[in-house]
Amino acid sequence: MTRRAVCATLPALAVPAALPLAANATPTGDERFMALYHAWLAIHEEWNTPNGHLTMDEETRWSRELGSRQYAILAQMEIHRPKTREGILALLWVQWRESGPVSTVGSDAWREELEEGDFRMMIAVWRSITGLDGLPRRLV
C-alpha cells in the first residue's frame, strides 16, 4: 500500500469522521475490508513472532510466503476501500505500520522522522479522525 493509496481515501474522511458511530453499529459496506484488515493483522503478528526453531532455508521460505500473502492482502485493501470511521482508522493503522517511522522509538532519528511531511500528514489525519493527541495506534 502506498502513501498515495491513503491520500486517495482522504476525500472519504470528511463524512465518516463527522458522524459519530453508535457502540453497536455494524460497519455497513466494510465487511470485506475489515476481513482483509484482520487477515493483515494476523500476518503482521505472525511476522513479528520469533521463529528460532527454523533453519535459514525454512526462515527464508516462511518470510517469502508471509510477504506474498501480505502484499496480496494490501492489494485487495486498495480495491475494497473502507467506508466507515473504523475502516478508515484500520487503513491508516496499516499505512503507519507499513511505511511509518523505522528508527528506534524515542531516538533522535525517530524524532527527526516524525517531522517528515508524509508522517506529519498521517499523524494529522489520525488526530483529525480520532480527536486524540499523540501518534497513530491501533484502535480497531
Side-chain angles (χ1 to χ4, degrees), residues 20-108:
L21 292 170
N24 59 356
T26 57
T28 305
D30 266 3
E31 291 85 6
R32 177 71 177 141
F33 179 83
M34 293 307 286
L36 291 165
Y37 170 67
H38 289 289
W40 176 88
L41 283 175
I43 290 172
H44 189 71
E45 185 176 311
E46 184 177 350
W47 205 311
N48 290 307
T49 302
N51 285 309
H53 63 282
L54 297 178
T55 66
M56 283 295 265
D57 287 342
E58 290 171 333
E59 177 81 22
T60 299
R61 281 193 301 275
W62 173 78
S63 182
R64 285 184 185 153
E65 191 266 329
L66 277 182
S68 178
R69 286 178 23 219
Q70 181 181 33
Y71 288 113
I73 289 169
L74 292 172
Q76 287 296 306
M77 288 176 128
E78 291 178 16
I79 295 168
H80 299 282
R81 296 180 186 165
K83 296 167 183 63
T84 64
R85 180 178 181 271
E86 282 81 8
I88 294 167
L89 283 170
L91 179 63
L92 186 57
W93 177 243
V94 169
Q95 179 67 20
W96 185 258
R97 295 302 299 168
E98 288 290 319
S99 62
V102 295
S103 299
T104 302
V105 174
S107 69
D108 289 341

